[in-house]
Amino acid sequence: MGRMSDAPRSFATAQVQAGFTAGVAENTAVPPIHQSNAFEFGSLREARDLFALRRDGNIYSRAANPTVLVLEKRVAELEGGIAAAAVSSGQAAVALALLALAKQGEHIVAARQLYGGTVDLLQDTFADWGIEVTFVDQDDLDAWTSAIRPTTRAFFAESITNPIAQVLDVRAVADAAHRAGVPLVIDATVATPYLQRAKDYGADITVHSATKFLGGHGTSLGGVVVDLGTFDFAAEPGRWPQLTEVYPRVPEGSLIERFGATGSPFIALVKTKYVHDLGPSLSAFNAFQLLQGLETLDLRVARHSASALEVARFLEAHGAVARVHHPELESSPWRAAAARYLPRGASSVFAFDLHGTGDVEADFAAAEAFVSRLRVVKLVANIGDARSLVAHPASMTHSHLSPAQLDEAGIAWTTLRLSIGLEDVRDIIADLDRALAGAPSAAAASELAGAAAR
Ligand SMILES: Cc1ncc(COP(=O)(O)O)c(C=O)c1O
């Protein structure tokens, strides 16, 4: 189930070695791609024990695969967690982590500054399934607390938001969640465990789109759910029957009775029920690609972050830029939070605004013209890639949000998201400089706004 090794090791060693011990017959030094749908049993008795979850072992790759297992162990160790489940995408990781906590008639409190696909999941599909979600401003602690209901089963937020790069006060939101008796689930996609171990600040479960920085090269979708091992589901057993009551899929009673001492009942539930029943499994090939990426996580993220800060400073000084949303800038409301929660640097995903006219079509046209002048920075709906990428959230990733939701998330039609890659930062800045040359100045934008009003 991806339980981490007990041997303590540093981050850089774990990202290269955790989860894998050479020793299979072929003695490969690198975790091999176990491209096999299923696994041969030594005997029917062994098969019976494996199906009854009486022992760990390989059955069928929808449920578990040895290459995927290495990834699970490695990410769990990097997060300081006890176990992980790797799945086919970040979207699946978010969905399954929350489904394992809240069912029909129950409730989740979520930040309203979320990736657009997560908003779609929570407000649309979860609503169809009778799981209610209250969205709150993640910086408003009273709002988190007042949203709590007797049926609340989780708090959910991104530690660094996509696209505005707001930095969550993880400790304060974790404390509020724990006072309500529920776990804090953190989407750590943008932060990665290199920039922040959410466990150090009270989070209980993390989810990742491994598609982004963990893989890092834009080749493979994947997601990971990590149990940080901090939340005591047995403290209020009546609230978590899925873990504390008899679980028909294992013979020895509840998941807590079966896995409480040796593993993660929560990850066992994610895998044996939700991955097994719904089927969003990670392929061995993608797990292999993500493992390759992970080996250089610290080097890449340090470079991504340093370059991004340089780009943010350049943009802030540029006359065609109205505002830069980067938490390490002095102008950012999240500067103190970044200093506390992201001492190794903020992420390379952040946004900036061109000067706006207030007219959606005019502002879209200015964004379109800017993007069309870029050569090094590519127009791609992704983040965390070795390549520098730009996106226009209002018309792309967040296009399903209402105008009010966009406003609440701090996204305007003038907002452009950047994910700064690993190219030479001088080339990235030169490219942005060239593209900004034709963008409206503050005076030109306000003249256009005035003309539109007349
Ligand atoms: C913060 C965040 N969480 C989750 C996801 C979903 O991940 P995936 O695209 O791997 O399904 C994304 C994708 O952009 C994301 O940015």
Side-chain angles (χ1 to χ4, degrees):
M1 185 202 308
R3 192 175 165 81
M4 64 174 276
S5 125
D6 292 333
R9 52 189 144 198
S10 64
F11 194 94
T13 307
Q15 74 184 4
V16 178
Q17 296 193 359
F20 182 63
T21 309
V24 293
E26 294 75 15
N27 265 352
T28 60
V30 171
I33 304 173
H34 290 281
Q35 194 71 18
S36 181
N37 290 350
F39 302 86
E40 192 174 326
F41 305 113
S43 66
L44 184 56
R45 188 168 296 273
E46 184 195 354
R48 184 181 67 173
D49 286 349
L50 286 166
F51 270 85
L53 305 181
R54 263 196 290 273
R55 54 189 278 194
D56 277 349
N58 303 319
I59 300 176
Y60 187 66
S61 282
R62 169 152 47 80
N65 171 283
T67 312
V68 175
L69 203 66
V70 180
L71 177 68
E72 291 171 344
K73 287 183 175 163
R74 198 165 290 180
V75 177
E77 185 165 332
L78 293 175
E79 283 282 36
I82 59 168
V87 290
S88 58
S89 66
Q91 197 70 14
V94 175
L96 268 50
L98 294 175
L99 283 173
L101 295 169
K103 60 180 185 305
Q104 188 183 25
E106 294 180 335
H107 172 249
I108 294 164
V109 189
R112 65 187 183 204
Q113 295 90 342
L114 294 176
Y115 160 63
T118 309
V119 176
D120 292 341
L121 170 75
L122 299 185
Q123 74 177 9
D124 190 354
T125 301
F126 273 24
D128 289 347
W129 295 345
I131 301 168
E132 294 181 23
V133 181
T134 305
F135 291 96
V136 298
D137 175 0
Q138 68 178 36
D139 286 339
D140 184 347
L141 282 176
D142 290 340
W144 285 98
T145 303
S146 3
I148 293 163
R149 305 177 188 169
T151 52
T152 302
R153 291 294 176 268
F155 277 22
F156 180 77
E158 294 171 16
S159 43
I160 305 177
T161 67
N162 168 8
I164 297 293
Q166 283 182 227
V167 181
L168 184 74
D169 187 344
V170 186
R171 172 60 66 191
V173 177
D175 289 348
H178 298 156
R179 280 194 297 276
V182 300
L184 172 62
V185 183
I186 287 290
D187 182 334
T189 297
V190 176
T192 80
Y194 175 72
L195 291 180
Q196 179 189 97
R197 264 190 178 182
K199 180 181 180 177
D200 295 344
Y201 304 103
D204 303 292
I205 291 159
T206 54
V207 292
H208 291 270
S209 168
T211 314
K212 318 297 186 194
F213 293 99
L214 298 189
H217 295 83
T219 64
S220 309
L221 290 175
V224 188
V225 183
V226 185
D227 181 355
L228 302 174
T230 47
F231 192 79
D232 183 5
F233 290 99
E236 280 188 85
R239 196 176 270 214
W240 313 103
Q242 66 273 48
L243 296 168
T244 59
E245 290 182 4
V246 171
Y247 183 64
R249 302 180 191 207
V250 299
E252 289 96 353
S254 73
L255 281 170
I256 287 193
E257 282 163 331
R258 172 67 183 81
F259 294 108
T262 56
S264 162
F266 174 75
I267 292 296
L269 180 67
V270 168
K271 288 185 140 194
T272 62
K273 180 164 175 160
Y274 294 100
V275 179
H276 174 273
D277 290 8
L278 301 176
S281 319
L282 184 67
S283 73
F285 180 75
N286 276 21
F288 174 83
Q289 293 273 308
L290 297 171
L291 281 165
Q292 291 288 294
L294 261 184
E295 292 187 1
T296 53
L297 181 68
D298 60 349
L299 301 172
R300 287 186 292 103
V301 173
R303 165 89 166 258
H304 278 296
S305 297
S307 295
L309 181 57
E310 233 179 295
V311 171
R313 290 203 174 113
F314 157 78
L315 289 172
E316 196 171 44
H318 200 289
V321 173
R323 190 163 167 212
V324 184
H325 309 270
H326 187 289
E328 284 183 295
L329 294 177
E330 275 171 25
S331 55
S332 171
W334 295 284
R335 191 158 194 254
R340 175 174 178 197
Y341 288 109
L342 303 167
R344 288 172 153 173
S347 87
S348 70
V349 177
F350 68 98
F352 69 97
D353 282 290
L354 298 172
H355 292 292
T357 63
D359 176 69
V360 166
E361 282 310 318
D363 290 346
F364 177 75
E368 184 183 27
F370 166 77
V371 167
S372 73
R373 289 189 289 268
L374 291 167
R375 293 293 172 269
V376 176
V377 181
K378 310 291 183 188
L379 177 63
V380 171
N382 196 15
I383 56 173
D385 194 312
R387 281 146 282 272
S388 289
L389 309 176
V390 66
H392 183 249
S395 66
M396 295 170 59
T397 49
H398 291 66
S399 57
H400 298 159
L401 271 58
S402 68
Q405 282 178 311
L406 283 176
D407 201 38
E408 284 168 1
I411 298 167
W413 280 82
T414 49
T415 306
L416 290 148
R417 180 185 73 189
L418 292 173
S419 175
I420 298 300
L422 302 176
E423 306 92 342
D424 189 318
V425 69
R426 290 168 299 187
D427 293 339
I428 301 169
I429 289 176
D431 194 41
L432 292 166
D433 196 25
R434 223 173 12 247
L436 283 169
S441 63
S446 81
E447 191 146 314
L448 274 171
R454 279 195 292 276

